[in-house]
Amino acid sequence: MRGFLASSIGVTCAAALALPLTLPAATATARPVPTAERADDASAAVPGRTQSLPLVPLAAERALGSAAVQGLTRRDVRHFSLVGVVWDDPDAELHGRVQVRTRDSMTGEWSGWQDVETHNHEHAADPDTAERVTGRVRGATAPLWVGDSDGVEVRVRAVAESRVEETGRGARTATAGASLPSGLRLELVDPGQADDAAPVSGAVPASGAVPASVVVPADSPRTGSLGPDAALASAANAPLAPLGATELPALSRAATERELALLPEGGTRAQPKIGPRPRIVTRRGWGADESLREKKFVYTKSVKAAFVHHTASGNKYQCSQVPSVIRGIYRYHVKSMGWRDIGYNFLVDKCGNIYEGRAGGVAKAVLGAHTLGFNTKSTGIAVLGTFNTSKPSASAVTAIAKLTAWKLGIYGVDPRAKTYLTSGGGNLYQKGKNVRLNVISGHRDGFATQCPGGLLYGKLGSARTNAARLQGR
């Protein structure tokens, strides 16, 4: 699969031995205005490519009397593994259906038509924030993982929108004409391969068990010959390994105090109940190209809640492919959608592996772009997959519990509790409203959306209970 599995193997390497709080990054690359077909510089340290193709009215569909249908007929393209559709106005919604079919680059066979999740605007930076008002942000569907492909066909069909309007004679239902947002483009993302310069000492096997060589263990820092970043990474991570509430002798308490001392104001320092620190695959571990994102980090004052999401990118992936999947989502968020970095703070795969998301430090309160209106004082955890009709794995739900027990524990938060967050504006709560939420909430609790899918949402009660147990409550 054209180096596809090799890319998955290459990213799980000894270069992921540390979880730096502030990894140095190359100067951020300005996002160019899209052309008929755009390819990023393949000579970058971590190569990847985005092809951006404008959609056009489909003649065959027009003949059937539907003018509001755009797409592309079958065409050969450069290799890609992830697809999505973007448009000009980030506040415009796509009321309709997006379907794609792709050609497998190994077998040459075309897939059946697959639906792409169109309601993705709720995964975004809060209104009026610097990230939201850059002028680079676009509306977008969720990304769909399709595997290594070299052919594509897409159709986007608008549907009439019904809404309730208040009139002097009472409420009535109005139907708006079928239309599509302007500037529709198909984004074809090749996640590329990890940096070949990094020494390889392990790989994520198909079983999904992540070897110790790609993560920071929970009880000691790791060192290695990793180039100029090694000293910074090792020093940054030395105090980041509390053993948790179930092992609270002096060593754990001292480690916890050192970790909290690195946090901004807002982290608790009075006998915290912190779950054991889970194994987390670093950004370097999954092969993040740090030149794509903006260089600076943005923080919020504390973490009071965790929002659980699904990526709606489909369930057709192997755990050995996850580094490539995340690189694809990262590139889609930054290059196609115009965000400063990947939107989620953490990602979890079906095998229960946890991955560092947005840069800035896994223990810190990094401001994400995951829950429109409630990114402040929260952390976003996305489970890779779609869970409207498919059940999440037990391993993924357990990983949510482990991660929240540790992350929320740092800030003195009980996973079973409720908290108040101030809305930054959305379709459920107006800006400025103080909203009472579960400390571990689903995306749909803060925004009218199907995310994180009904079957994952139904597992959050179990995650809350287990996270509290891990904290020793």
Side-chain angles (χ1 to χ4, degrees), residues 76-252:
D76 297 332
V77 291
R78 290 189 293 267
H79 287 252
F80 67 95
S81 298
L82 180 142
V83 303
V85 172
V86 301
W87 53 92
D88 294 337
D89 183 358
D91 295 318
E93 297 184 38
L94 195 164
H95 296 284
R97 188 178 188 184
V98 178
Q99 293 181 299
V100 299
R101 58 197 301 255
T102 56
R103 184 177 61 202
D104 188 292
S105 63
M106 289 291 290
T107 67
E109 295 181 357
W110 284 85
S111 70
W113 287 101
Q114 301 181 74
D115 286 306
V116 180
E117 174 59 59
T118 59
H119 299 293
N120 192 48
H121 64 284
E122 64 266 23
H123 298 83
D126 289 348
D128 303 324
T129 59
E131 183 171 5
R132 181 73 173 183
V133 298
T134 60
R136 299 192 302 269
V137 179
R138 300 193 187 113
T141 68
L144 178 68
W145 180 258
V146 294
D148 195 52
S149 306
D150 59 9
V152 67
E153 185 173 2
V154 61
R155 60 192 182 199
V156 181
R157 184 187 300 274
V159 297
E161 177 192 2
S162 296
R163 62 181 184 273
V164 176
E165 293 182 345
E166 292 294 335
T167 68
R169 298 179 180 178
R172 69 181 182 88
T173 300
T175 301
S179 62
L180 294 171
S182 63
L184 287 171
R185 310 183 70 82
L186 176 66
E187 301 286 289
L188 304 175
V189 180
D190 175 2
Q193 298 181 6
D195 190 348
D196 293 333
V200 177
S201 65
V204 181
S207 65
V210 179
S213 60
V214 304
V215 295
V216 180
D219 54 1
S220 66
R222 297 178 67 91
T223 58
S225 179
L226 303 178
D229 293 342
L232 171 64
S234 178
N237 285 284
L240 296 184
L243 297 183
T246 59
E247 307 166 84
L248 261 184
L251 176 61
S252 175

Side-chain angles (χ1 to χ4, degrees), residues 51 70 112 229 242 251 315 373 458 466:
Q51 301 170 71
Q70 295 185 32
D229 293 342
L251 176 61
N315 303 314
N466 289 333

